[in-house]
Amino acid sequence: MPQAARAVAPQSPILLREQVGSIAVLTLNRPAARNSLSEGLIAELHGALKAIHDDPAMRCVVIAANGPAFSAGHDMKELTARRSDADRGRAYFAEIMNACSAMMQAVVHLPKPVVASVQGIATAAGCQLVASCDLAVASENAAFATPGVDIGLFCSTPMVALSRNVPRKQAMEMLLTGEPISAATAQAIGLINRVVPAGTEREAAIALAQKVALKSAYTVKLGKEAFYRQAEMTLADAYRYAAEVMTENMMARDAEEGIGAFIEKREPKWQDR
């Protein structure tokens, strides 16, 4: 009789999703590949963000990772394999870079705040993902770098998110030298919010998300969108726009309830509208 076929072990999902109360936790799960952002992982992340976008049960998102690295950036083996294409990979490279950029923008445009939980090194597009999140908590063992220059590939797309989070001189030093910075330095220059003991970053990120989840979802959505829009405006335009947002916010049911609760010294009851 022919030998029985060996059972093939099911492949682990490259992105895990779980719910902790009203917090959606998305976990990068390619530890053997240092959680590099492959074509598949980019698509999975983008798809998960789209699903969460209109889910009223989810009030915040935490992006975490399994293994020693948070994310090593783009999957260079996957990209290099397309060098044999007729156009030497140009069309595929453009497709991947645009797909990754769209996913990063989906983080920014998500109406719910996104918190990064960084347990290890975050390099190149991995650093970009941290910078794209609204908040970030990192282990004291974490490190951050944009080392593309070391392999002849300047971190141009990570630069977009990085330069919108940290001062220019610090961003340029990271981009031009490729050298990693510690979690403490990342906090000092504004790339992350908090540094916590190793092994506690996930719980700390969820706890931070839970604090935000207690607020009016309508108010948080309005505020997050306004924050990023005004940041690209001139001072006069930003104030004009922010005044319009404040006026709209004042007309909301939750602002009326929140102000009333403040005056009456009681806890507000949000209706998220």
Side-chain angles (χ1 to χ4, degrees):
M1 293 179 64
Q3 185 178 359
R6 182 177 298 175
V8 178
Q11 191 172 13
S12 298
I14 58 177
L15 182 71
L16 306 176
R17 177 176 172 180
E18 63 181 296
Q19 184 173 335
V20 180
S22 60
I23 313 302
V25 182
L26 305 177
T27 304
L28 311 183
N29 192 40
R30 300 186 74 217
R34 295 170 61 81
N35 293 312
S36 56
L37 298 176
S38 62
E39 179 181 1
L41 185 50
I42 290 169
E44 289 280 331
L45 262 173
H46 202 165
L49 293 168
K50 286 180 179 177
I52 292 166
H53 187 282
D54 297 318
D55 185 350
M58 297 294 94
R59 303 177 76 88
C60 267
V61 178
V62 168
I63 297 180
N66 283 333
F70 176 77
S71 176
H74 285 289
D75 189 325
M76 290 301 161
K77 291 182 179 178
E78 184 179 74
L79 293 174
T80 299
R82 301 301 291 263
R83 290 283 190 192
S84 59
D85 291 359
D87 63 353
R88 296 182 55 242
R90 175 181 286 273
Y92 184 72
F93 301 155
E95 179 185 340
I96 291 296
M97 298 306 161
N98 285 319
C100 189
S101 296
M103 182 271 289
M104 297 292 178
Q105 291 178 77
V107 172
V108 175
H109 296 316
L110 193 74
K112 299 103 190 283
V114 183
V115 185
S117 168
V118 188
Q119 86 289 13
I121 191 147
T123 59
C127 184
Q128 178 186 3
L129 181 56
V130 176
S132 297
C133 291
D134 305 299
L135 302 169
V137 175
S139 158
E140 59 194 0
N141 293 339
F144 305 83
T146 47
V149 67
D150 293 336
I151 58 171
L153 183 66
F154 198 83
C155 284
S156 298
T157 45
M159 171 185 70
V160 175
L162 182 67
S163 64
R164 282 163 168 74
N165 277 254
V166 306
R168 290 188 178 189
K169 293 292 193 293
Q170 281 78 9
M172 283 298 284
E173 183 172 349
M174 290 181 68
L175 292 161
L176 291 172
T177 68
E179 293 180 354
I181 61 172
S182 67
T185 299
Q187 182 183 29
I189 65 175
L191 180 57
I192 63 174
N193 297 86
R194 301 178 184 179
V195 180
V196 297
T200 68
E201 60 282 341
R202 181 185 173 95
E203 291 73 20
I206 291 173
L208 182 56
Q210 287 171 331
K211 285 186 178 181
V212 179
L214 294 174
K215 317 302 180 185
S216 159
Y218 170 83
T219 303
V220 168
K221 173 184 176 180
L222 198 72
K224 175 175 173 175
E225 180 183 4
F227 179 87
Y228 291 111
R229 286 189 62 185
Q230 65 81 28
E232 305 300 323
M233 298 177 181
T234 64
L235 184 64
D237 287 344
Y239 269 117
R240 190 177 301 110
Y241 166 67
E244 292 172 358
V245 174
M246 284 286 284
T247 301
E248 180 183 348
N249 200 166
M250 279 294 293
M251 300 306 296
R253 184 270 166 198
D254 278 356
E256 186 175 2
E257 163 65 12
I259 294 169
F262 172 76
I263 293 171
E264 296 164 15
K265 295 181 172 55
R266 60 175 175 81
E267 288 296 318
K269 296 179 180 179
W270 306 126
Q271 293 185 15
D272 298 328
R273 59 184 179 87

